[in-house]
């Protein structure tokens, strides 16, 4: 038989009609809506701090880190070779590189460095950009950031607070006091209760005497523990006084490994770069935070912070997805025209851009409310409500958004080499943690019942945009009418209310701060003739003007 001779003219394998790589994308420089939004809401220093981050995130190296962190998930080493408990999780070096990038730039601590002068806006904008590198590693960044309000309630917690503010990432399994910077995780959920943490059965027994700041021993199981290699965990356990909040360090006061046994890592749909574990407290040491029996109030401020981050992550993923789509459709031809020049595709991309800008605007408005909440009653009232509304609605839109973006790329969008597949797998998680949809809606009702100033603050915000679009004015009237219903009807309609409040707030922000093309089309397609699919725009929609927003 003759030797095989490869053909010299392999024309069937010539790459044609595919987008070129083009210039690197700088997610700060190339995001006009983000820069404009911050110019309306934040002090100038926020943008100045974000610009270098955008340059870093736009490099091929950081893009590779994100791909590797997702492709090579963490692995558990429960025991050493001799059978002793080890309880360590090994991450790919790319994960540690991303953690170091975020912590050495201080994005976990910036809200507390500039707490009343744009710090929360800087944190949220930073998270929005970091999410576009890899969403999974942002979980421990969020929890470390959000731990500060709880640590302020820890008697003698000055050292913990100081180390939270550090900027030297150290992944070593050593006692927290031997590091300049500590990271924090969270372990709340148990099998039998889920979001109903009052059913938690983990028990806490005092080592000596009970009370704030005293040491206890924990016994029980946690169904989800996020970022199990953190230096300390905020957790809930039952005492004789009721459900209480504790800080459980990875090492005991005498520098031994704490009895926090990792049973297994969850095999998750997405969020693969981040480890989520089932753990067993086997007499683990922990300090009581706040007052005994006041665990839920102690943890609520942390939850407010994490919920705003969970509302911001989908906005960042939307921006990454629509940027990827726009690059693709400009470089691909079908039916003798570029996809970007075809009316149907233009309307889909324009609609995705509108959703992205609306989500960013609401997340940043929530961050500004947090920045001003200590000195302004109106902003404090909004800060109670906006994180829940934004978390609920942005995450309801996220999975459908990612599916539509993936479809714009066709078959190549469905393969793991394209970022759309990773974003699609990631999209549901922020809707689930920190309270799934129904839990968030019930919390919205509790806020309206216990803090009536919040609904008045909402009405004030909406009133500032009245008279600019008929659909917006009609939506406000419909919302006001439904809010007068009795308790049973309000609970039955809680999802409608949460959606209506979120979308009318988005509309109000766009009317006041975004180009008219974005605001008017949002009102026409979300508040008037809403469609369950993206790309259904009015015949006279200013599509070309909207698409210009995608050009830096």
């Amino acid at each position: 038989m003759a030797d095989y001779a490869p053909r010299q003219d392999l024309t069937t394998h010539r790459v044609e009609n595919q987008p070129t790589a083009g210039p690197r994308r700088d997610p700060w420089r190339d995001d006009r809506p983000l820069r404009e939004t911050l110019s309306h809401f934040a002090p100038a220093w926020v943008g100045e701090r974000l610009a270098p981050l955008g340059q870093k995130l736009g490099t091929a190296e950081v893009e590779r880190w994100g791909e590797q962190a997702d492709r090579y998930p963490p692995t558990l080493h429960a025991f050493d070779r001799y059978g002793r408990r080890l309880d360590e999780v090994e991450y790919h070096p790319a994960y540690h590189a991303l953690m170091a990038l975020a912590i050495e730039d201080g994005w976990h601590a910036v809200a507390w460095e500039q707490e009343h002068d744009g710090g929360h806006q800087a944190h949220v904008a930073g998270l929005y950009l970091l999410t576009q590198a890899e969403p999974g590693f942002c979980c421990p960044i969020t929890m470390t950031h959000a731990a500060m309000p709880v640590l302020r309630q820890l008697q003698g917690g000055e050292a913990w607070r100081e180390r939270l503010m550090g900027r030297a990432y150290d992944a070593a399994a050593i006692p927290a006091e031997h590091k300049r910077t500590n990271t924090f995780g969270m372990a709340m959920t148990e099998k039998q209760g889920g979001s109903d943490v009052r059913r938690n059965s983990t028990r806490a027994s005092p080592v000596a005497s009970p009370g704030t700041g005293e040491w206890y021993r924990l016994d029980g199981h946690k169904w989800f523990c996020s970022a199990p290699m953190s230096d300390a965990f905020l957790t809930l356990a039952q005492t004789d006084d009721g459900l209480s909040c504790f800080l459980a360090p990875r090492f005991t006061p005498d520098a031994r490994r704490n009895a926090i046994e990792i049973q297994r890592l969850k095999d998750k749909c997405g969020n693969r770069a981040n480890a989520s574990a089932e753990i067993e407290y086997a007499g683990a040491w922990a300090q009581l935070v706040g007052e005994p029996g006041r665990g839920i109030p102690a943890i609520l401020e942390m939850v407010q912070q994490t919920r705003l981050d969970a509302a911001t992550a989908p906005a960042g993923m939307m921006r990454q997805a629509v940027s990827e789509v726009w690059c693709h459709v400009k470089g691909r031809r079908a039916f003798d025209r570029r996809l970007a020049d075809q009316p149907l595709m233009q309307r889909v991309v324009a609609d995705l851009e509108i959703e992205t800008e609306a989500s960013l605007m609401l997340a940043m408005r929530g961050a500004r409310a947090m920045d001003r909440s200590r000195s302004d009653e109106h902003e404090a009232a909004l800060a109670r409500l906006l994180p829940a509304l934004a978390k609920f609605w942005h995450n309801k839109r996220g999975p459908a958004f990612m599916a539509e973006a993936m479809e714009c790329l066709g078959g190549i969008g469905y393969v793991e080499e394209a970022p759309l597949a990773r974003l699609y797998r990631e999209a549901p998680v922020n809707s689930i943690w920190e309270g799934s949809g129904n839990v968030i809606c019930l919390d919205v009702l509790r806020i309206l019942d216990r803090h009536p100033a919040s609904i008045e603050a909402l009405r004030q915000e909406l009133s500032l945009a009245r008279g600019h679009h008929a659909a917006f004015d009609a939506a406000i009237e419909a919302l006001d009418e439904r809010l007068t219903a009795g308790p049973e009807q309000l609970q039955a309609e809680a999802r409608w209310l949460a959606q209506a409040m979120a979308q009318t707030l988005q509309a109000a922000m766009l009317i006041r701060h975004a180009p008219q093309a974005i605001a008017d089309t949002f009102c026409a397609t979300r508040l008037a003739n809403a469609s369950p699919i993206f790309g259904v725009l009015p015949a006279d929609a200013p599509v070309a003007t909207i698409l210009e927003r995608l050009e830096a």
Side-chain angles (χ1 to χ4, degrees):
M1 182 180 292
D3 291 340
Y4 168 74
R7 289 175 56 190
Q8 299 301 310
D9 182 24
L10 294 178
T11 56
T12 60
H13 288 279
R14 190 166 55 209
V15 177
E16 295 179 327
N17 193 24
Q18 291 288 346
T20 58
R24 303 296 310 173
R25 188 174 77 89
D26 179 331
W28 163 255
R29 180 199 63 204
D30 298 344
D31 192 338
R32 187 193 308 180
L34 174 60
R35 299 196 312 273
E36 290 178 359
T37 300
L38 288 173
S39 74
H40 294 307
F41 293 156
W45 71 263
V46 174
E48 294 167 2
R49 183 158 174 170
L50 288 164
L53 176 64
Q55 292 174 355
K56 293 176 185 177
L57 296 179
T59 64
E61 182 178 38
V62 172
E63 181 181 2
R64 185 168 59 253
W65 290 346
E67 292 170 352
Q68 290 175 336
D70 176 78
R71 188 172 294 276
Y72 303 104
T75 55
L76 171 63
H77 301 287
F79 301 90
D80 69 13
R81 63 187 296 181
Y82 302 105
R84 301 183 185 92
R85 294 243 31 138
L86 192 60
D87 297 301
E88 288 190 8
V89 177
E90 180 182 0
Y91 296 83
H92 190 274
Y95 170 91
H96 293 301
L98 290 167
M99 287 290 291
L101 184 154
I103 285 179
E104 288 169 10
D105 273 1
W107 297 109
H108 65 297
V110 64
W112 317 117
E113 293 170 0
Q114 302 280 352
E115 191 166 357
H116 310 298
D117 184 34
H120 282 90
Q121 293 173 78
H123 168 76
V124 161
L127 184 81
Y128 169 91
L129 294 180
L130 289 166
T131 295
Q132 297 175 55
E134 159 49 41
F137 91 96
C138 292
C139 174
I141 300 299
T142 283
M143 290 189 297
T144 300
H145 150 78
M148 181 62 85
V150 183
L151 295 178
R152 287 173 175 168
Q153 303 173 62
L154 175 62
Q155 186 173 304
E158 294 83 1
W160 285 111
R161 295 194 292 271
E162 182 179 347
R163 292 192 297 269
L164 182 151
M165 300 295 290
R167 292 198 185 184
Y169 176 64
D170 187 345
I174 57 176
E177 59 271 20
H178 295 168
K179 299 183 180 184
R180 287 183 290 162
T181 307
N182 290 161
T183 58
F184 294 83
M186 186 162 41
M188 305 291 173
T189 307
E190 298 185 8
K191 291 193 291 284
Q192 71 281 358
S195 296
D196 186 1
V197 294
R198 293 169 300 178
R199 293 179 63 100
N200 282 9
S201 60
T202 296
R203 292 292 307 177
S205 305
V207 173
S209 56
T212 302
E214 296 292 337
W215 286 98
Y216 286 67
R217 304 293 290 271
L218 305 182
D219 290 280
H221 182 268
K222 293 293 179 179
W223 191 226
F224 278 90
C225 172
S226 295
M229 285 295 96
S230 301
D231 296 300
F233 306 92
L234 293 163
T235 193
L236 295 174
Q238 300 286 356
T239 67
D240 291 342
D241 297 292
L243 193 65
S244 305
C245 180
F246 292 88
L247 183 142
R250 279 186 67 198
F251 286 80
T252 64
D254 59 357
R256 291 180 293 111
R257 290 178 184 270
N258 205 358
I260 304 173
E261 299 178 354
I262 302 177
Q263 304 300 320
R264 64 169 175 163
L265 299 184
K266 300 289 192 181
D267 186 8
K268 295 174 292 185
C269 167
N271 198 243
R272 292 179 179 174
N274 175 46
S276 299
E278 291 177 33
I279 63 170
E280 188 80 19
Y281 293 130
W285 289 73
Q287 272 186 292
L288 178 64
V289 179
E291 296 298 322
R294 300 282 295 167
I296 294 176
I299 211 72
L300 276 180
E301 281 194 75
M302 182 182 192
V303 170
Q304 281 293 87
Q305 301 290 333
T306 55
R307 281 182 175 173
L308 184 59
D309 280 17
T312 301
M317 290 191 288
M318 287 177 187
R319 172 55 60 201
Q320 183 182 5
V322 75
S323 298
E324 187 75 19
V325 166
W326 188 234
C327 177
H328 181 85
V329 301
K330 287 194 299 182
R332 179 125 170 119
R333 298 180 68 85
F335 311 110
D336 300 322
R337 280 195 296 174
R338 290 192 317 163
L339 287 175
D341 297 328
Q342 301 194 27
L344 271 177
M345 182 60 76
Q346 288 179 339
R347 286 168 177 268
V348 170
V349 181
D351 211 6
L352 295 177
E353 174 63 18
I354 291 168
E355 193 69 29
T356 302
E357 294 200 28
S359 298
L360 169 65
M361 192 77 73
L362 185 53
M364 292 308 307
R365 184 64 185 91
R368 187 175 74 162
M370 285 190 170
D371 277 328
R372 299 183 175 184
S373 61
R374 299 226 173 162
S375 58
D376 187 316
E377 291 182 3
H378 173 79
E379 297 295 322
L382 285 176
R384 291 190 190 97
L385 181 61
L386 263 59
L389 293 179
K391 180 196 179 305
F392 172 76
W393 186 239
H394 296 175
N395 287 293
K396 290 302 175 193
R397 297 293 274 171
F401 186 106
M402 297 309 160
E404 193 69 61
M406 185 185 296
E407 190 175 329
C408 291
L409 271 65
I412 194 65
Y414 195 65
V415 302
E416 289 290 345
E417 291 167 297
L420 272 301
R422 178 174 17 146
L423 294 175
Y424 183 72
R425 286 189 281 101
E426 189 74 20
V429 70
N430 284 285
S431 184
I432 294 169
W433 60 23
E434 308 311 314
S436 55
N438 283 354
V439 171
I440 297 295
C441 291
L442 293 174
D443 280 352
V444 167
L445 293 185
R446 290 189 192 99
I447 292 166
L448 300 184
D449 179 52
R450 299 176 187 178
H451 303 282
S454 291
I455 189 61
E456 291 308 313
L458 172 67
R459 287 191 172 108
Q460 288 179 40
E461 288 291 306
L462 298 180
S463 70
L464 296 173
R466 270 188 181 275
H468 291 273
H469 197 284
F472 175 73
D473 293 349
I476 295 175
E477 291 173 9
L479 176 60
D480 272 336
E481 183 178 348
R482 300 282 271 274
L483 283 169
T484 62
E488 271 195 41
Q489 185 176 341
L490 281 175
Q491 186 167 137
E493 295 186 343
R495 282 187 169 228
W496 185 94
L497 289 170
Q499 174 182 338
M501 286 189 280
Q503 288 193 301
T504 51
L505 267 171
Q506 286 178 328
M509 295 297 106
L510 293 173
I511 288 169
R512 294 174 60 201
H513 303 298
Q516 186 175 351
I518 297 287
D520 285 355
T521 312
F522 180 93
C523 291
T525 56
R526 272 69 171 174
L527 305 182
N529 300 310
S531 170
I533 60 174
F534 287 99
V536 181
L537 303 184
D540 60 350
V543 173
T545 303
I546 296 169
L547 292 176
E548 287 176 7
R549 307 281 291 165
L550 284 158
E551 302 292 345

